[in-house]
Amino acid sequence: MSRDAMTRQMQTGQGFIAALDQSGGSTPKALRLYGVPETAYATEAEMFDLIHAMRARIATAPGFTGDKVIGAILFEMTMEREIAGKPAASYLWEEKGVVPFLKIDKGLEAPANGVQMLKPIPGLDALLDRAVAHGIFGTKERSVILGADAGGIADIVAQQMDLGLAVLAKGLIPILEPEVDINAPDKSAAEQILLAALLKGLDRVPAGQQVMLKLTIPDQAGLYAPLIAHLAVMRVVALSGGYSRDDACARLAQNPGMIASFSRALTEGLSADQSDADFNTALTAAIDAIHAASTS
């Protein structure tokens, strides 16, 4: 796999990143929305088989290509499995031209100081080595900001940067994701604090290297323009955060330079019982809408 080609695609590609990284906690909800009830599986292994089948159906769909979907974030189990007879990351890049990323976070700590920090990641070094061996380009790590607590936000950015530097040391590109909860009563104020904390934190990125940022679409359009222009930032991507696809796309379109990295908003309207033709039509419509919002 050509990392130079992947880097060029992530720096300049006109498209968005698909978030196909639902973990154990979020998988049952993702399957319910896909029309698969919890009665359809009896074990965790069966649950993960079903979610992998959904992800593989998306990845192999005709409209899912690097022309509009420039990257995809995978769950660890997805990285270890095959899609259409090839290792998942190899399939995405070699067959679809989609740059593969890996979700590495292991969930959130209990709320404190207005944030939920990342839980420890056991075996991080070995996980990153496996990612490199699989041809993964970068990682994603999510923590959550619940309110405009400057101390909590400073802590969350410091933790994200610490992890990001460890990822960079392995030759991978980290997507740092300090998500601001869309239901936070002081969301706009939290975003202003986060912007200042990130600009300060980016001073820690070694010269000549870059990270990516995955952020909630801000209330103030264009707020993150200084991050988009920052030399240490490869790309600023937007999470849908619970907004509907239409709402998320409308908000994203007001923020030039940000591109989508949607999960629920991407799979909205897809169902396990759809025919392949109907499924592909619905997925292509979603891809077209998210691509348009990402490149407007």
Side-chain angles (χ1 to χ4, degrees):
M1 296 185 184
S2 170
R3 291 196 62 82
D4 288 343
M6 291 184 185
T7 299
R8 287 193 297 272
Q9 179 150 313
M10 295 319 305
Q11 288 176 329
T12 63
Q14 295 299 298
F16 68 95
I17 298 173
L20 306 177
D21 60 336
Q22 299 90 348
S23 58
S26 57
T27 293
K29 181 177 181 180
L31 285 172
R32 283 197 302 274
L33 292 172
Y34 185 54
V36 179
E38 292 183 44
T39 55
Y41 49 91
T43 66
E44 187 177 76
E46 291 176 351
M47 178 185 76
F48 283 121
D49 285 344
L50 289 167
I51 197 70
H52 183 71
M54 183 188 85
R55 292 167 177 154
R57 193 180 190 193
I58 291 170
T60 56
F64 192 92
T65 72
D67 291 339
K68 293 182 179 179
V69 185
I70 62 173
I73 304 169
L74 305 178
F75 183 49
E76 184 178 348
M77 284 188 181
T78 308
M79 179 185 74
E80 300 288 359
R81 296 191 184 213
E82 293 186 346
I83 296 175
K86 298 187 73 167
S90 297
Y91 175 81
L92 286 172
W93 179 244
E94 295 169 9
E95 303 298 328
K96 291 301 189 103
V98 175
V99 176
F101 291 81
L102 176 67
K103 166 190 165 72
I104 61 170
D105 60 82
K106 301 300 181 183
L108 303 169
E109 300 281 13
N113 301 320
V115 300
Q116 287 185 270
M117 303 283 282
L118 293 160
K119 286 183 176 180
I121 305 174
L124 174 63
D125 195 63
L127 176 60
L128 295 178
D129 285 341
R130 279 194 288 123
V132 171
H134 276 278
I136 294 290
F137 177 73
T139 66
K140 191 215 73 168
E141 38 270 7
R142 170 182 175 263
S143 46
V144 177
I145 295 167
L146 303 170
D149 185 303
I153 291 173
D155 289 343
I156 219 168
V157 169
Q159 185 189 44
Q160 286 277 349
M161 289 302 310
D162 287 344
L163 182 52
L165 293 176
V167 171
L168 283 172
K170 291 288 187 177
L172 299 166
I173 302 297
I175 302 178
L176 311 181
E177 184 182 7
E179 172 183 348
V180 177
D181 190 325
I182 65 170
N183 297 309
D186 47 7
K187 177 175 179 284
S188 183
E191 289 166 346
Q192 296 281 350
I193 297 170
L194 176 61
L195 171 61
L198 285 171
L199 287 170
K200 182 178 179 181
L202 288 170
D203 289 340
R204 298 177 58 193
V205 178
Q209 297 194 52
Q210 292 182 310
V211 302
M212 295 174 62
L213 301 171
K214 182 169 179 176
L215 306 173
T216 308
I217 304 169
D219 285 350
Q220 178 184 325
L223 177 68
Y224 294 133
L227 299 174
I228 294 167
H230 201 289
L231 291 177
V233 177
M234 182 175 289
R235 215 69 188 255
V236 178
V237 305
L239 57 100
S240 51
Y243 292 128
S244 70
R245 182 191 304 143
D246 287 347
D247 196 2
C249 286
R251 291 170 180 268
L252 177 60
Q254 297 174 30
N255 289 270
M258 286 186 84
I259 65 172
S261 178
F262 293 169
S263 175
R264 281 169 290 180
L266 172 64
T267 58
E268 182 182 309
L270 302 181
S271 175
D273 62 7
Q274 287 171 320
S275 68
D276 286 345
D278 289 344
F279 179 91
N280 293 338
T281 296
L283 179 61
T284 297
I287 289 171
D288 288 346
I290 297 169
H291 175 264
S294 298
T295 57
S296 63

